[in-house]
Amino acid sequence: MESFGRDGAIPHEVVAGSAPFVLGPLLVGLVVTAMLIGAVWWGMRVRAREPGPPRPEEQPRLPDGGAVHEVREMREPDEMPHDGRVLTPHELRSLGNMSTRRARDQKRPQWNRNSSGGFGSGGLGHH
């Protein structure tokens, strides 16, 4: 029980010699604080040089024909030639490697009543 008494206290020589351990974190904290203040100041200067928000007359307007509405249609891929040759990229008819055209049948496919509906998870699906 002697360790909890006066003998367990830190000697004054150790505390007096720990000035670098107190001043070091204090100086690091001051440097970090100064860097954060400098970053905020720099950000305010950069933001002040940016253009302001657009004026009402600079806002986008509707086209003369009115609003453009979404068009929904069923698409199907173009067939690749079956003559045995390989197409090069510049011979493709679209921007990618698969062009599409409007499908003859515009009826949307319906889910099968007996399918799980969870992409194979076996979940409840339709309910």
Side-chain angles (χ1 to χ4, degrees):
M1 293 293 176
E2 298 284 333
S3 62
F4 292 116
R6 207 171 158 92
D7 296 335
I10 300 172
H12 293 289
E13 295 83 19
V14 174
V15 174
S18 65
F21 297 113
V22 173
L23 289 179
L26 180 65
L27 290 176
V28 169
L30 289 174
V31 168
V32 168
T33 303
M35 289 175 62
L36 288 173
I37 290 171
V40 169
W41 173 77
W42 183 266
M44 289 170 52
R45 284 188 58 198
V46 168
R47 186 152 187 184
R49 284 184 270 160
E50 293 177 356
R55 294 186 301 272
E57 61 269 6
E58 296 174 341
Q59 295 291 332
R61 302 279 181 229
L62 279 176
D64 293 334
V68 179
H69 298 285
E70 178 181 347
V71 175
R72 290 188 177 205
E73 62 181 15
M74 300 304 296
R75 307 286 295 174
E76 61 185 23
D78 285 336
E79 289 293 323
M80 297 299 282
H82 297 286
D83 58 2
R85 68 184 188 92
V86 177
L87 290 179
T88 57
H90 71 275
E91 293 176 312
L92 295 173
R93 289 179 283 236
S94 71
L95 297 176
N97 61 358
M98 185 173 141
S99 60
T100 61
R101 66 182 188 288
R102 189 174 193 273
R104 288 186 204 129
D105 182 18
Q106 289 295 308
K107 183 180 175 189
R108 294 183 65 195
Q110 299 295 318
W111 290 103
N112 183 0
R113 287 258 182 216
N114 297 325
S115 72
S116 67
F119 298 105
S121 66
L124 294 175
H126 302 286
H127 51 282

